Amino acid sequence: MTEQIPVPDSPSTPATPPPPPQHWFADVLASDGGVVRLRPVTPEDGDGLQEFHAALSDRTRYLRYFGPYPRISPKDLYRTTHLDYHDRVGLVVELGEQIIAVGRYELLERTGPRAAEVAFVVADGHQGRGLGSILLEHLAGAAAESKIETFVAEVLAENTVMVTVFREAGYQVERSRDGSVLHLEFAIDPTEALVTVRDSRERASEARSVGNLLAPGSVAVIGATPAAGRVGGAVLANLLSGVFQGPVYPVNPTRKSVRGVRAYATVREIPDEVDLAVVAVPAAAIDSVLDDCMAKGVKGLVVLTAGFGETGAEGLAAERDLVAAARVHGMRVVGPSALGIANTDPAVSLNATLAPVLPARGRIGFFCQSGPLGAAILGEAAARNLGLSTFVSAGNRADVSGNDLLQYWDTAPDTDVILLYLESFGNPRKFSRIARRVARTKPIVAVSSGRQAARSQPARDMDRSIVRDLFAQAGIVQVDSISELFDCAALLGYQPLPGGSRLAVVSNSTALSWLALDAARGEGLDVTDPVNLGPQATPGEYLDAVVAALRSPEIDSVIVVFAPPVPPPVAGFADAIRAAAAAVPEVDKPILTTFVAEQGIPHLLAVRGQGGMAVRGSIPSYPDPERAARALARVRRYAEWRDKPVSAVVRPDGIDAERAKGLVARWMGDSGGRWLTDLEAVELLACYGIQVVEFREVRDAEQAVAAAEELGYPVAAKATGEMWRRRPDLTGVRLDLWRPEAVRQAYTDLVEACGDPVLHIQKMATKGVGCTLRVQDDPSFGSVIEFGLSGTIIELLGDRAYRALPLTSDEAAALIDAPRAAPLLSGTPASPRVDKAALAELAQRISALFDDIPELRELSFDPVLASSTSAEILYARGRIGPEPSRFDVGPRRLA
């Protein structure tokens, strides 16, 4: 690509450049899963850029500069390193201290939309890692901030790789040929195609990154010791006893060997490559270990060491420094304070954990944070005979998170079910986006715990409601305990999804049958009368009854209960149930069992595959029919969610986003954020087709009368103070004012009551059902929209529904139907059905507003009167503030 190089004293080349924008610094995953650091070019980069340029091959320099160009001239170097970060921008990609790629754009002097010429070059040894695509994404993001709409590039026709980068990025490229040079031009708007490509590349690179950790070719244990009771000894013993398929290198400065394996004083001394380092040294020694790993070129770290973020501010700072240093050198970090990672694939056989028991091979992936809890979880999974494919305990989750594992398991062919134990959410918007996609093909079962511990009881109640609703929105099967987690996993991992809600119960106990029926009905399942075989039922009778239930077109799933008065051996009955399932292989219905006579925790009536592992078709057994019914109901709700067609995010008509952005930019100024005035809120909302019932702000009685005459009677008079607006006794409101005298009297009364001469005179809205719509920042999930009906009792009961933004059309409709009081909107003998479509459209407009205006931090509509023909907003209140970090809506980066 060619570019015009002016002299250093050109007006567009600042002698003292401004500081580079901090949000342009980013750690990014290359296509091979390695981490690279991307940052703006600064004047201090002169020597580094010269070294980078000199190391390029003649061919690469020719393709980039259309000629030999062996050395950057002082004039060109000055211009390359002295940028305004607005019309002229340069970015470098680094690995360690070395620049491995450079990209830049420069504004073109031409009429029409703002356009810039873009160019980049990648070091020969790092070509093919997707660095050009990364630079293009981040350059486009920077250009969009400067209102640049179009990129232009001049490319040699023989440079097919560069042409492919532009085309595969998702851009609609216009091209023309001038001899041997191609002229490319494309708009850089973040279209749906561009976002799809970005997300696809992100998914592939994050999956590859986790795959590198879970399938290393070699492992070093730093802090290895022969003492099994110590961390370094336990993990080394597990690696060796697990028959890891690659070499294991103990690292211990005082020993020649550990457990019969040759040891090395430092990682640097290991003669061969090291893919994964498991760190089990005290926190104070981490820095020297990290230096050795970086010098050795280790690809990933599993830090078992505690004493970081969980200890307070100082430990958190050390943790961040650890991750930053590791990423600069291309490494991912699991931990600190992790239990470890495991991969049961026989080709890997990796057990780099502290867990004394590891489950057998299976098709369930498990992610958790807490190390001690992770060990208990693995023990219970093994006792239940639930096999795992892979396991990661991320500890403090300083780098590798549940989002990374979801990306990995999405395409992992050996994983069918995903289990999560979450104590916090790193990037909640991204979590929601990934989970929605993954759950369409692989069920996700999650326990969310711990985030409420530091809050008051009312906040905990709201948080639980938010987690419940947002998990359901993403198709996640939410459970409340580890036991319920495995109850659902056993069903999802080994039985088909139920095709409907119709359940048959086969039992030899009337009492337990009705217990199962009551539990199932309470969970929303449709249950027929139970099949009661009597206490003397034989295995053959069980076989016949289960086969009949499976063959019935009126049945979608079966719970089998066995509870004889005198417990005999259960093997014959278990065999009968397995035989019943095998007798109708054409029927795809789940079977659940309860063996009351058998003690212990739930398990599988396993159908064994190669190596003795339980396989698809194994039948889960529960300690009581209530737990079986709860697990089935949760799985049924997931199946219903998955069967629904995917809905799209639809932007309603009549939106003027540019005007709204201009208004917010002007109001923000240097204030750092504030509440909007009532009139400002009305003006902003109007840009999105959201109309507040018309009102006038008045300051004396005659203005009030004039406003009423202008608006048309009847009107309402309202005090403007916040304390008066939400009083349930309506002390600050006078309604149905039909005459000037009534308006004057209302004005006088309200001023006397509230002491503020500023009132609102508002048109009377159509009478209807009062509702509230709010959007606020949840600490874990970002912007969350809330809907409910108005009323003190409803508010005290916490009857609110929540959804993450942005909303699809189906999600907007589901939000309106979600509160327990929502049937009131569908009409009662005393009131007609309201226009729920108008409420759903209002929610969609709010969603679009928050998607476009990140500075909008909070918004409240209270009340909204929903009638049979409309949804009218009586009052709107909004707050603007600094834009939060929204890494999920821009170029790819590691949060």
Side-chain angles (χ1 to χ4, degrees), residues 74 115 174 197 308 320 371 532 567 613 657 684 819:
E174 297 180 5
V197 170
F308 285 90
R320 288 171 175 166
N532 191 351
M613 61 175 281
L684 175 62

Side-chain angles (χ1 to χ4, degrees), residues 369 373 421-425 447-453 467 480:
Q369 290 176 233
L373 183 61
Y421 189 97
L422 302 173
E423 298 174 17
S424 61
F425 301 86
V447 181
S448 175
S449 175
R451 66 191 287 268
Q452 305 95 341
V467 172
D480 299 322

Side-chain angles (χ1 to χ4, degrees), residues 408-422:
Y408 170 76
W409 283 320
D410 184 23
T411 55
D414 64 349
T415 302
D416 294 332
V417 179
I418 298 167
L419 306 184
L420 305 175
Y421 189 97
L422 302 173

Side-chain angles (χ1 to χ4, degrees), residues 569-586:
V570 301
F573 293 90
D575 290 342
I577 296 170
R578 278 193 290 258
V584 282
E586 72 281 3

Side-chain angles (χ1 to χ4, degrees), residues 86-87 105 107 112-116 140-151 188-189 657-658 661-662 665 855:
H86 188 268
D87 294 342
Y105 77 70
L107 188 70
R114 284 168 59 85
E145 294 179 24
S146 299
K147 309 301 181 185
I148 292 172
E149 301 178 19
T150 303
F151 270 170
I188 59 174
D189 288 337
E658 290 305 313
K661 291 175 182 177
E855 298 86 357

